[in-house]
């Protein structure tokens, strides 16, 4: 059974703080690692899809790194804003058409 | 470009009834996946269809079934509903893996089922 773990489970920061989350996944049978952002009452949207060990992706104030050999990925948010409040999901892809999701990190950014 | 559309958005059923949920993928996407989300749980994979064929199935009882039509639209059905089936059911479509596509999913807004 594939297990994807995310930490912390939830996080409450002040506007302007920088924060980071961790996603741990199996180090074998790796095809891709996805990060999704899920705002309340909306549908999850892909932030990053990473396939290569050492990948680093950036979108505005949000960035992610990938280590497939040790099975972890970090998501960083620099200078958090209230609009960053959402649940951040990571998902592990083995290449067999099934994504295995972690339980997510719920981020709340207070003004 | 229209996104993934799920209907109905909300529904209430009673134990023992059955329910059918519908999903229309993004035009050109032939892969459709279904996920269940309950409080405290991550997204649990139900099944995935491609070109009318179920290619992958999660660990759910046989009461959960699905199908895909020739236009790529998909339905999932839950029979003999139980209280524990109350959840948000998400559908996602994607392009085939390969061709530079690592399998990004495009989600609908979900169907929230309440079983009383």
């Amino acid at each position: 059974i594939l297990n994807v773990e995310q930490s912390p489970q939830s996080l409450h920061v002040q506007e302007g703080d920088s924060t980071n989350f961790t996603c741990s996944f199996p180090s074998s049978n790796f095809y891709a690692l996805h990060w999704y952002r899920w705002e309340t009452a909306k549908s999850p949207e892909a932030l990053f899809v990473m396939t290569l060990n050492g990948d680093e992706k950036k979108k505005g104030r949000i960035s992610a790194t990938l280590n497939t050999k040790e099975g972890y990925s970090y998501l960083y948010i620099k200078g958090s804003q209230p609009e960053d409040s959402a649940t951040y999901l990571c998902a592990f892809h083995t290449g067999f058409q099934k994504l295995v999701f972690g339980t997510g990190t719920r981020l709340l950014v207070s003004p | 470009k229209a996104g993934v559309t799920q209907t109905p958005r909300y529904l209430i059923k009673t134990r023992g009834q059955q329910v059918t949920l519908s999903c229309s993928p993004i035009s050109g996407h032939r892969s459709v996946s279904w996920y269940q989300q309950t409080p405290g749980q991550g997204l649990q994979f139900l099944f995935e269809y491609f070109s009318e064929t179920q290619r992958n199935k999660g660990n759910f009882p046989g009461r959960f079934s699905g199908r895909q039509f020739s236009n790529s639209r998909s339905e999932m059905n839950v029979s003999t509903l139980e209280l524990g089936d109350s959840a948000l059911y998400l559908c996602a479509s994607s392009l085939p893996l390969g061709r530079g596509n690592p399998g990004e999913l495009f989600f609908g807004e979900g169907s929230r089922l309440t079983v009383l």
Side-chain angles (χ1 to χ4, degrees):
Chain A
I1 296 178
L2 295 175
N3 195 32
V4 177
E5 296 184 353
Q6 291 188 247
S7 62
Q9 189 173 6
S10 64
L11 199 53
H12 184 186
V13 302
Q14 297 299 309
E15 182 176 356
D17 289 347
S18 292
T19 186
N20 65 85
F21 322 135
T22 303
C23 173
S24 301
F25 53 87
S27 54
S28 58
N29 297 319
F30 178 86
Y31 183 84
L33 192 284
H34 297 207
W35 282 99
Y36 290 84
R37 168 195 165 99
W38 193 359
E39 293 180 73
T40 303
K42 295 186 178 180
S43 52
E45 289 187 351
L47 279 172
F48 305 112
V49 179
M50 295 182 286
T51 57
L52 299 175
N53 184 44
D55 251 358
E56 290 189 25
K57 300 271 188 177
K58 187 175 182 182
K59 186 180 292 187
R61 295 178 290 98
I62 305 176
S63 60
T65 61
L66 177 68
N67 184 321
T68 61
K69 296 187 186 305
E70 297 183 35
Y72 65 84
S73 175
Y74 294 136
L75 186 77
Y76 300 92
I77 302 179
K78 183 178 179 182
S80 302
Q81 299 296 308
E83 57 265 32
D84 295 328
S85 297
T87 296
Y88 292 83
L89 299 168
C90 74
F92 174 73
H93 201 320
T94 63
F96 289 101
Q97 301 302 328
K98 182 174 90 169
L99 278 173
V100 179
F101 281 85
T103 52
T105 293
R106 184 175 297 179
L107 173 67
L108 177 62
V109 183
S110 295
Chain B
K1 194 174 187 181
V4 177
T5 304
Q6 290 189 245
T7 57
R9 292 289 314 279
Y10 302 92
L11 66 166
I12 300 174
K13 294 284 187 178
T14 57
R15 280 182 297 174
Q17 287 186 311
Q18 73 166 14
V19 65
T20 298
L21 309 178
S22 179
C23 172
S24 293
I26 291 173
S27 178
H29 287 191
R30 292 161 62 191
S31 173
V32 174
S33 303
W34 288 89
Y35 288 84
Q36 180 198 63
Q37 199 233 4
T38 51
Q41 299 283 324
L43 294 179
Q44 302 293 312
F45 174 76
L46 281 156
F47 24 66
E48 186 259 348
Y49 287 88
F50 181 82
S51 293
E52 302 178 66
T53 300
Q54 185 183 90
R55 294 198 297 188
N56 223 324
K57 190 177 189 309
N59 296 321
F60 280 82
R63 300 184 297 106
F64 291 80
S65 62
R67 59 178 175 169
Q68 187 180 35
F69 303 95
S70 58
N71 62 357
S72 294
R73 190 177 70 86
S74 177
E75 288 181 347
M76 67 163 282
N77 183 276
V78 188
S79 62
T80 319
L81 284 166
E82 300 177 358
L83 294 179
D85 297 332
S86 294
L88 178 68
Y89 291 88
L90 285 169
C91 162
S93 71
S94 65
L95 291 167
L97 287 181
R99 301 178 192 170
N101 173 49
E104 177 183 347
L105 295 183
F106 295 83
F107 284 91
E109 292 185 309
S111 294
R112 185 167 293 281
L113 170 65
T114 301
V115 182
L116 302 176

